[in-house]
Amino acid sequence: MKSNTRKITEGAMIVAMYGAILFIDRQFANAFTTQFNWLLSIPMILYAVQSDRKYSFMVFFSAMIVGLLVADIQTLFYLFSALVLGFIYGEGIRNKWKHGKLLLWTMCVTFVCYLISLYIFAGFFGYDLIATRNEFIEMLENIEINGIEIVLLIDANTLFNVIDITTFFLLVVGESLCVHLLSHLIFMKLGLDVERIRISLNFKYPKSLAIGGIVSLGMVYSLRWVEYSATVEYILAFFYLSLFIVNLLYGMIVIRCMRQLPKWVWPLVVIVPLFWPFVMIIGVIDGLLNGELRKRGLYGQVRKL
């Protein structure tokens, strides 16, 4: 009986926290939920990890009722997405899911949330995709430096597609990682019995990804001289972007393994986008060499976060 009362009390505190956040956010024109909506999932995650499913459902529906009373429709959608993510993530922790599965589910929920808000119902959420696309393409076609017009190596439409997809996927992956890492950091601080995150630097990187990165880069640059249909251009841009991100991340891992480099090099290449093409090239080269650069820099070490 005491345990049930405690769970209900903790749930009421979580619901009250959501109500306070939504009320304050409404006073500041939804600034918090627009920029940091992923943080809304953290309270639900913490409660779902420590409570049974029936109590999590109770908090879920109670928070939605509070949202109906306080928030507008857009914020209510973000709240619903955060609560779904928190419920699934908490159930995954309680069922001993592996970190890869937890991160995958987090990315799936985040992907659907942004797909709906930024594309499917963009106008409802205040985004004008057509106007944004036209303005951006016009800007790309009229780039000048000191009065000299810059000629792009690829078509402006294709470049916009690449930038659009890159931004979308980086947003999904970045926010998913933030939720995953922040949740586990809080778990450790609270002393909860959860599996710690382990990152192994001993793995075999597929050479096909490095080769695919080179081929996709050549195909994208060929768009300047060869005409393809709009669908083919979009598919090429998607595969180029995907392989670029994969090889870029692997290049960052290779640089992280090089102990002889100064400690400030790795944060610099991660934060500054100007270095990303060079980091991607390092990833491709090491992939073609079957990981020789990575193995020479750091062999057999497993880091714990």
Side-chain angles (χ1 to χ4, degrees):
M1 181 67 179
K2 185 181 296 184
S3 177
N4 293 341
T5 304
R6 179 177 178 179
K7 293 299 181 183
I8 294 174
T9 304
E10 291 175 349
M13 294 175 63
I14 295 295
V15 175
M17 183 186 302
Y18 276 119
I21 292 173
L22 295 176
F23 178 78
I24 296 173
D25 179 66
R26 190 70 180 268
Q27 310 310 309
F28 290 91
N30 300 334
F32 176 80
T33 54
T34 302
Q35 303 297 327
F36 303 102
N37 54 76
W38 56 274
L39 285 174
L40 290 173
S41 61
I42 301 299
M44 186 65 192
I45 290 175
L46 296 177
Y47 185 80
V49 167
Q50 305 176 73
S51 306
D52 294 335
R53 187 178 303 175
K54 60 180 181 180
Y55 296 109
S56 299
F57 272 124
M58 176 188 68
V59 171
F60 183 97
F61 289 110
S62 299
M64 286 300 300
I65 293 174
V66 171
L68 286 171
L69 297 174
V70 178
D72 55 18
I73 300 299
Q74 292 89 342
T75 304
L76 192 64
F77 171 77
Y78 291 130
L79 175 64
F80 175 78
S81 303
L83 292 173
V84 170
L85 173 57
F87 179 81
I88 294 176
Y89 197 98
E91 284 295 306
I93 292 291
R94 293 179 67 250
N95 292 323
K96 306 296 182 182
W97 286 0
K98 297 295 182 181
H99 290 292
K101 188 174 182 179
L102 286 171
L103 185 58
L104 179 62
W105 272 102
T106 304
M107 292 177 63
C108 288
V109 175
T110 307
F111 176 85
V112 173
C113 173
Y114 279 107
L115 185 66
I116 293 175
S117 61
L118 296 180
Y119 293 96
I120 298 179
F121 296 111
F124 181 75
F125 286 87
Y127 303 107
D128 192 341
L129 293 180
I130 297 178
T132 302
R133 180 186 180 88
N134 293 336
E135 290 177 5
F136 202 88
I137 291 176
E138 183 180 357
M139 181 189 69
L140 292 174
E141 292 175 340
N142 296 280
I143 299 178
E144 292 185 358
I145 299 179
N146 294 329
I148 302 175
E149 185 175 352
I150 305 300
V151 179
L152 300 175
L153 295 177
I154 60 177
D155 182 66
N157 287 280
T158 304
L159 181 59
F160 174 82
N161 291 335
V162 172
I163 295 174
D164 187 30
I165 300 174
T166 303
T167 305
F168 181 77
F169 276 95
L170 286 178
L171 186 64
V172 171
V173 174
E175 291 198 1
S176 301
L177 286 173
C178 287
V179 171
H180 186 62
L181 296 177
L182 181 59
S183 298
H184 279 267
L185 179 62
I186 297 175
F187 294 158
M188 290 190 295
K189 294 299 182 181
L190 294 177
L192 299 180
D193 184 20
V194 296
E195 182 183 358
R196 294 186 63 183
I197 299 176
R198 297 172 181 267
I199 300 178
S200 176
L201 300 178
N202 272 334
F203 59 91
K204 184 178 180 181
Y205 187 72
K207 185 182 292 186
S208 58
L209 293 177
I211 297 174
I214 297 174
V215 173
S216 64
L217 178 62
M219 293 293 291
V220 168
Y221 274 102
S222 71
L223 295 174
R224 193 67 185 177
W225 303 279
V226 181
E227 292 187 3
Y228 299 101
S229 65
T231 304
V232 174
E233 289 184 0
Y234 201 81
I235 293 174
L236 288 177
F238 175 78
F239 279 106
Y240 166 72
L241 166 66
S242 302
L243 292 170
F244 179 88
I245 293 177
V246 171
N247 287 307
L248 171 64
L249 294 176
Y250 181 65
M252 291 179 179
I253 293 174
V254 173
I255 293 177
R256 184 68 181 88
C257 292
M258 296 179 179
R259 294 194 211 175
Q260 63 272 25
L261 294 176
K263 293 183 178 180
W264 53 265
V265 172
W266 192 76
L268 184 66
V269 299
V270 171
I271 296 173
V272 181
L274 181 65
F275 296 108
W276 290 357
F278 303 101
V279 177
M280 186 273 294
I281 293 174
I282 292 176
V284 170
I285 293 175
D286 191 64
L288 295 175
L289 296 176
N290 293 319
E292 286 299 321
L293 298 177
R294 174 170 50 87
K295 293 175 183 177
R296 290 182 182 181
L298 181 63
Y299 184 77
Q301 182 174 352
V302 178
R303 291 184 172 271
K304 294 181 180 179
L305 292 182

